[in-house]
Amino acid sequence: MPEQASETRAAIDMESWVCPAPLRDAPNIVMGHGGGGAMSAELIEHLFLPAFGPAADAGMGDSAIVDIGGARLAFSTDSFVVKPMVFPGGTIGDLAVNGTVNDLAMAGAAPAVLSTAFILEEGTPLDELARVAQAVGTAAMAAGVKLVTGDTKVVDSGHGDGVYINTAGIGLVDQRTDIRPQRAASGDAVIVSGDIGVHGVAVLSCREGLQFGTAVASDTAPLHGLVAAMIETGADLHALRDPTRGGMAATLNEIAKAAKIGVSIDERALPIPSEVRDACSMLGLDPLYVANEGKLVAFVAAADADRVLAAMRTHPLGARAAIIGTCVADHPGMVVARTALGGTRVVDLPIGEQLPRIC
Amino acid sequence: MPEQASETRAAIDMESWVCPAPLRDAPNIVMGHGGGGAMSAELIEHLFLPAFGPAADAGMGDSAIVDIGGARLAFSTDSFVVKPMVFPGGTIGDLAVNGTVNDLAMAGAAPAVLSTAFILEEGTPLDELARVAQAVGTAAMAAGVKLVTGDTKVVDSGHGDGVYINTAGIGLVDQRTDIRPQRAASGDAVIVSGDIGVHGVAVLSCREGLQFGTAVASDTAPLHGLVAAMIETGADLHALRDPTRGGMAATLNEIAKAAKIGVSIDERALPIPSEVRDACSMLGLDPLYVANEGKLVAFVAAADADRVLAAMRTHPLGARAAIIGTCVADHPGMVVARTALGGTRVVDLPIGEQLPRIC
């Protein structure tokens, strides 16, 4: 599979390293570099990959597929720095488990084991840490993964920020599948598993003390059960992705670029809860750019779409699944939305992040 | 193997959670909780494991041995928060690679792939980040491991601290080996691979602006090649550990407790460079408690000791290897040192850390 093809690079000479053009406007790290959008991609492409040199395997994506000891494994990592650590519907602990579980699931893998590494700020109350740790344990139980190894570091008061958590995970890839962004193809149906924009609005409402009518709770959830139900249909799943940082817009753009296809979506088909719609219109946010933590987007051959959609709808986490668009040969690498008024607009890759530190 | 036996625990009721007695003196996180000594162990035993509940596999040690898809794998994670990020002999990037490589090697595994997750502070200069990233790439090349997946988060200026790095790694366990702390046995020779105390003194000298005659450079290095040379002797290696945080004292105590044996060492046999000895005596530090990042301690049946020692000495990273003591049936769980004057003293598990944030 292409992800595994080792693309060797010459290591750059750091003595003569010059900040490359796309990064030059910001010679320092800014919040947008962590947003999962264009700035994150530039940082990886123009700084991390050249600096890593030949040690980096092509891609360095959300998860890697590796063959070790005859087993086909998915391997993924994510750090979590969400602020506040507790928000409606979840905590940093839930995100830390579900985030890595979902990255593995999006590669068609059954998550097996997780590592947990905590960076704690001196002065963090032990009962607060215990509540976060319990959320990690409860989420791992719910997802059926074992916590097998870990690490704890403490940094001086005033550094860190309460609790940061990194999880890494290993999953066993289902041999029947070959799921990766590059396989999305013209003609594919684009399916979303449910309501979008919920997680970002939940964290924001809590952080900014805003009330948007009905409280919005994060959708954080482990998605590998839903993916297993989709695989069981026997359909050829081309690509899966959980639209976290940068929301649907980032995910659709990434897959359009990776597969060199156009994506055309119908805004009227997007499942957006009224609370999210209201919050977004009040704050001038676009729900397509707001993070989700318990949703997936699937790219499936048109002939299989109804079957996959039906299977998703029978799963609790896919009850509100909907076909939201198709892949087209036109405008490769670009996402175009048909608006409610019947016009069209380009859905760009976000530059940075509308809402920093939401995961 | 015992590490894999899943020891189920009832999840604790967090509503009625009371800080357990061993933690009660410090109701908040203090630097010592990250020191790899008694306070770290208490935090794991009395907070993390009860909070994780049945999701935690017994141990949650430095690395786990897991069977996935028919492959016997070692899996490990570590976060690195060393301050400063660049110090004599290395950078946070070298530590991040070598630290996880070594945790895998200490389980008898050949390291294969690493993940890298960066938590960046807003305002960190890109050229500083690029140098750290290049150190990661160079160290990975040197260790022969691939960087296959990653993550980048950014936190607001004033949080984090420049660059924190987490690495997780997967290695393939050598089928000929069964290396774990519990296998250390009475009669075993205790072998150290070279000079101790070097890394901690190197970071300290740089951080505090101290000069101790000749400059001391960190010993950070990947140890899996040395371990492979030891395995090739055919000797039955019982236990291996790299004495990082908490130094030799923490490592010897951990293994003494895990194997329920006594450890008796001869201080005169310890390879301690004069620069380290001088720095320690000036600062009132005990070299046994100072961190190493490129050394290992091996527990080997007495009959195999000379053969293993000879193999170590032919490897560049084991040239100054020495037998420093033996395992005894007396004083199980306790480490006793014979001093230069011929007396004996107990080498306790450190409580916290003499030198915080050295990795």
Side-chain angles (χ1 to χ4, degrees), chain A residues 10-32:
Chain A
I12 53 175
D13 174 11
M14 292 311 300
E15 295 308 310
S16 60
W17 191 81
V18 178
C19 191
L23 298 175
R24 226 174 260 163
D25 291 341
N28 300 323
I29 288 292
V30 297
M31 295 306 290

Short mmCIF file of all heavy atoms in Angstrom, two decimals, chain A residues 10-32:
data_model
loop_
_atom_site.label_atom_id
_atom_site.label_comp_id
_atom_site.label_asym_id
_atom_site.label_seq_id
_atom_site.Cartn_x
_atom_site.Cartn_y
_atom_site.Cartn_z
N ALA A 10 16.61 13.39 1.69
CA ALA A 10 17.90 13.79 2.24
C ALA A 10 17.64 14.64 3.47
O ALA A 10 16.73 15.47 3.48
CB ALA A 10 18.68 14.59 1.20
N ALA A 11 18.39 14.43 4.51
CA ALA A 11 18.25 15.27 5.70
C ALA A 11 18.72 16.68 5.34
O ALA A 11 19.68 16.85 4.58
CB ALA A 11 19.10 14.71 6.84
N ILE A 12 18.01 17.69 5.85
CA ILE A 12 18.42 19.05 5.53
C ILE A 12 19.58 19.48 6.43
O ILE A 12 19.76 18.95 7.50
CB ILE A 12 17.26 20.06 5.66
CG1 ILE A 12 16.59 19.95 7.04
CG2 ILE A 12 16.25 19.84 4.56
CD1 ILE A 12 15.53 20.99 7.29
N ASP A 13 20.33 20.43 5.92
CA ASP A 13 21.45 20.97 6.69
C ASP A 13 20.92 22.09 7.58
O ASP A 13 20.59 23.18 7.10
CB ASP A 13 22.52 21.49 5.72
CG ASP A 13 23.64 22.20 6.47
OD1 ASP A 13 23.69 22.09 7.71
OD2 ASP A 13 24.45 22.86 5.79
N MET A 14 20.82 21.81 8.86
CA MET A 14 20.19 22.79 9.74
C MET A 14 21.02 24.04 9.93
O MET A 14 20.50 25.10 10.25
CB MET A 14 19.87 22.16 11.10
CG MET A 14 18.80 21.08 11.05
SD MET A 14 17.29 21.56 10.17
CE MET A 14 16.76 22.96 11.16
N GLU A 15 22.33 23.93 9.70
CA GLU A 15 23.17 25.12 9.86
C GLU A 15 22.73 26.21 8.89
O GLU A 15 22.80 27.40 9.18
CB GLU A 15 24.65 24.77 9.64
CG GLU A 15 25.22 23.81 10.67
CD GLU A 15 24.98 24.25 12.11
OE1 GLU A 15 25.26 25.42 12.41
OE2 GLU A 15 24.47 23.44 12.90
N SER A 16 22.30 25.76 7.72
CA SER A 16 21.91 26.73 6.70
C SER A 16 20.40 26.75 6.50
O SER A 16 19.89 27.21 5.49
CB SER A 16 22.61 26.38 5.38
OG SER A 16 22.20 25.08 4.98
N TRP A 17 19.67 26.22 7.50
CA TRP A 17 18.21 26.15 7.36
C TRP A 17 17.61 27.53 7.31
O TRP A 17 17.91 28.40 8.13
CB TRP A 17 17.61 25.37 8.53
CG TRP A 17 16.16 25.03 8.35
CD1 TRP A 17 15.65 23.99 7.63
CD2 TRP A 17 15.03 25.70 8.92
NE1 TRP A 17 14.28 23.97 7.71
CE2 TRP A 17 13.86 25.01 8.49
CE3 TRP A 17 14.88 26.82 9.73
CZ2 TRP A 17 12.58 25.41 8.85
CZ3 TRP A 17 13.60 27.22 10.08
CH2 TRP A 17 12.46 26.51 9.65
N VAL A 18 16.76 27.74 6.33
CA VAL A 18 16.04 29.00 6.22
C VAL A 18 14.55 28.67 6.25
O VAL A 18 14.11 27.74 5.58
CB VAL A 18 16.39 29.71 4.90
CG1 VAL A 18 15.59 31.00 4.77
CG2 VAL A 18 17.88 29.99 4.84
N CYS A 19 13.83 29.40 7.02
CA CYS A 19 12.39 29.17 7.12
C CYS A 19 11.80 29.22 5.71
O CYS A 19 11.96 30.22 5.01
CB CYS A 19 11.80 30.28 8.01
SG CYS A 19 10.11 29.98 8.47
N PRO A 20 11.15 28.14 5.26
CA PRO A 20 10.67 28.12 3.88
C PRO A 20 9.55 29.12 3.65
O PRO A 20 8.85 29.52 4.58
CB PRO A 20 10.20 26.69 3.68
CG PRO A 20 9.98 26.15 5.05
CD PRO A 20 10.85 26.91 5.99
N ALA A 21 9.38 29.48 2.41
CA ALA A 21 8.46 30.55 2.03
C ALA A 21 7.06 30.43 2.65
O ALA A 21 6.56 31.40 3.21
CB ALA A 21 8.38 30.64 0.51
N PRO A 22 6.44 29.25 2.60
CA PRO A 22 5.07 29.21 3.11
C PRO A 22 4.99 29.50 4.61
O PRO A 22 3.94 29.85 5.12
CB PRO A 22 4.61 27.78 2.83
CG PRO A 22 5.56 27.25 1.81
CD PRO A 22 6.85 27.97 2.05
N LEU A 23 6.08 29.33 5.32
CA LEU A 23 6.07 29.55 6.76
C LEU A 23 6.59 30.93 7.15
O LEU A 23 6.48 31.35 8.28
CB LEU A 23 6.92 28.49 7.46
CG LEU A 23 6.48 27.03 7.31
CD1 LEU A 23 7.51 26.11 7.95
CD2 LEU A 23 5.12 26.80 7.94
N ARG A 24 7.18 31.62 6.17
CA ARG A 24 7.97 32.80 6.48
C ARG A 24 7.18 33.95 7.11
O ARG A 24 7.71 34.75 7.87
CB ARG A 24 8.68 33.29 5.21
CG ARG A 24 10.13 33.59 5.44
CD ARG A 24 10.80 33.93 4.14
NE ARG A 24 11.54 32.82 3.60
CZ ARG A 24 11.95 32.74 2.35
NH1 ARG A 24 11.64 33.68 1.47
NH2 ARG A 24 12.66 31.72 1.93
N ASP A 25 5.89 33.99 6.77
CA ASP A 25 5.07 35.08 7.33
C ASP A 25 4.96 34.97 8.84
O ASP A 25 4.68 35.94 9.53
CB ASP A 25 3.67 35.07 6.72
CG ASP A 25 3.71 35.46 5.26
OD1 ASP A 25 4.72 36.07 4.85
OD2 ASP A 25 2.75 35.16 4.54
N ALA A 26 5.13 33.77 9.33
CA ALA A 26 5.05 33.57 10.77
C ALA A 26 6.32 32.83 11.20
O ALA A 26 6.37 31.62 11.18
CB ALA A 26 3.82 32.72 11.12
N PRO A 27 7.36 33.56 11.57
CA PRO A 27 8.62 32.89 11.93
C PRO A 27 8.52 32.15 13.26
O PRO A 27 9.46 31.46 13.64
CB PRO A 27 9.63 34.04 12.01
CG PRO A 27 8.81 35.25 12.32
CD PRO A 27 7.46 35.03 11.68
N ASN A 28 7.42 32.33 13.96
CA ASN A 28 7.20 31.62 15.21
C ASN A 28 5.93 30.77 15.10
O ASN A 28 5.10 31.00 14.22
CB ASN A 28 7.02 32.61 16.37
CG ASN A 28 8.23 33.51 16.54
OD1 ASN A 28 9.36 33.07 16.36
ND2 ASN A 28 7.97 34.75 16.88
N ILE A 29 5.81 29.83 15.99
CA ILE A 29 4.58 29.03 16.06
C ILE A 29 3.41 29.93 16.47
O ILE A 29 3.53 30.72 17.41
CB ILE A 29 4.76 27.89 17.09
CG1 ILE A 29 5.71 26.83 16.53
CG2 ILE A 29 3.43 27.26 17.47
CD1 ILE A 29 5.18 26.05 15.35
N VAL A 30 2.31 29.81 15.76
CA VAL A 30 1.07 30.51 16.13
C VAL A 30 -0.01 29.45 16.35
O VAL A 30 0.16 28.28 15.97
CB VAL A 30 0.65 31.52 15.05
CG1 VAL A 30 1.70 32.61 14.89
CG2 VAL A 30 0.38 30.83 13.72
N MET A 31 -1.11 29.84 16.97
CA MET A 31 -2.15 28.87 17.30
C MET A 31 -2.61 28.09 16.06
O MET A 31 -2.90 26.91 16.14
CB MET A 31 -3.35 29.58 17.95
CG MET A 31 -3.09 30.22 19.31
SD MET A 31 -2.38 29.11 20.55
CE MET A 31 -3.76 28.02 20.91
N GLY A 32 -2.67 28.77 14.92
CA GLY A 32 -3.16 28.13 13.71
C GLY A 32 -2.35 26.92 13.27
O GLY A 32 -2.86 26.03 12.59
#
